[in-house]
Amino acid sequence: ADIYDSVKMIAEVFGDDTNYSIDLISGVPGLTLAGWTEALHKAVSLRPKPRHISVYDLQVESGTTFGKWYADNMEDRDDDVSPTTTSLHPSLPSADDCAFMYRYASGYLRANYEHYEISSYALIDRNRKPHRSKHNQIYWEIGGNWYAVGLGATSNVNGTRYSRPRALSDYIRWTKDLGEDDDTNGLPWMSKSSEQDSDQIAADEDDALLDIILTRLRTK
């Protein structure tokens, strides 16, 4: 499998003391509880062992291909009915099964990993030091600053969030407008003339308080 080949190449280049992270996704079509427990076991059995594991539950969004395939399944999830399998696509796990997968992953991984964020687990080394993701923690810091580039990307600068257009056609038009912007003070995509185009979201006191609450709820 690709994952084993990738880990092998990492070990060949960086040795047994290498530092890498893997992502696991629960709630995917056709996944059973037994299959999920096996996936977790295989993940922690990799050598060298991953120092960081992120666990996410599949979210099926309307308007996507998955959303079209599994529209009926999503209604079944809401009604707590076990989804049925079609001849074309395996069924999604039920809401109860997805909840169990999350709880099981948390309990299973905590034997050797610190569950420091709702989806993140850091390996605890022999010195009892957890290998948390330095990159991800930037987004969870209160008042953190970061610049994001790309379709739909959101930056947070000095307490203000700037969201780039999500639709590709809007994004292309937006970037062309930036190229014609004569404002040379600072970054053009943060200039006052582009605030409305980039859907700038001012963080007022209520939003800032809500952001603090949600961030603290998701982190240890």
Side-chain angles (χ1 to χ4, degrees):
D2 291 342
I3 180 64
Y4 294 109
D5 292 339
S6 298
V7 172
K8 181 180 179 181
M9 285 189 288
I10 292 174
E12 289 175 350
V13 175
F14 298 102
D16 292 336
D17 197 37
T18 187
N19 185 359
Y20 71 96
S21 176
I22 63 172
D23 290 358
L24 300 176
I25 302 180
S26 61
V28 299
L31 182 63
T32 63
L33 298 180
W36 179 240
T37 58
E38 182 182 5
L40 290 169
H41 174 71
K42 288 182 176 180
V44 300
S45 299
L46 291 169
R47 292 297 181 270
K49 187 185 292 290
R51 293 192 178 180
H52 191 275
I53 298 177
S54 295
V55 178
Y56 304 105
D57 182 59
L58 177 68
Q59 301 297 306
V60 178
E61 303 288 347
S62 60
T64 64
T65 300
F66 263 3
K68 296 176 182 177
W69 288 350
Y70 292 105
D72 293 338
N73 274 186
M74 295 309 296
E75 292 179 3
D76 289 343
R77 271 189 172 185
D78 294 338
D79 296 334
D80 254 354
V81 177
S82 296
T84 56
T85 301
T86 67
S87 58
L88 295 177
H89 311 295
S91 65
L92 293 169
S94 67
D96 285 343
D97 283 352
C98 289
F100 176 85
M101 290 177 189
Y102 177 84
R103 292 194 301 269
Y104 184 87
S106 179
Y108 183 82
L109 293 175
R110 285 186 185 189
N112 295 294
Y113 290 79
E114 177 194 32
H115 191 182
Y116 72 99
E117 190 268 338
I118 192 169
S119 301
S120 304
Y121 300 81
L123 180 66
I124 302 173
D125 63 22
R126 62 176 63 93
N127 296 318
R128 307 304 299 169
K129 173 188 175 183
H131 291 268
R132 295 183 177 185
S133 170
K134 294 181 179 179
H135 174 86
N136 290 353
Q137 288 185 99
I138 295 174
Y139 309 120
W140 306 326
E141 290 178 355
I142 303 302
N145 288 301
W146 66 86
Y147 298 95
V149 179
L151 191 68
T154 300
S155 301
N156 195 73
V157 184
N158 298 326
T160 302
R161 293 188 179 179
Y162 301 81
S163 180
R164 295 168 183 250
R166 295 179 177 274
L168 181 58
S169 58
D170 293 338
Y171 186 79
I172 293 174
R173 182 168 56 253
W174 178 74
T175 54
K176 288 181 178 179
D177 291 342
L178 283 183
E180 300 171 357
D181 195 336
D182 292 330
D183 184 2
T184 58
N185 296 321
L187 298 174
W189 60 272
M190 289 176 57
S191 66
K192 292 183 179 179
S193 61
S194 66
E195 284 178 356
Q196 186 174 1
D197 291 338
S198 62
D199 297 327
Q200 175 182 343
I201 304 172
D204 59 23
E205 292 183 0
D206 290 340
D207 288 338
L209 178 59
L210 180 61
D211 190 55
I212 291 174
I213 293 172
L214 293 178
T215 300
R216 287 292 180 255
L217 285 173
R218 69 179 294 171
T219 55
K220 180 177 179 180

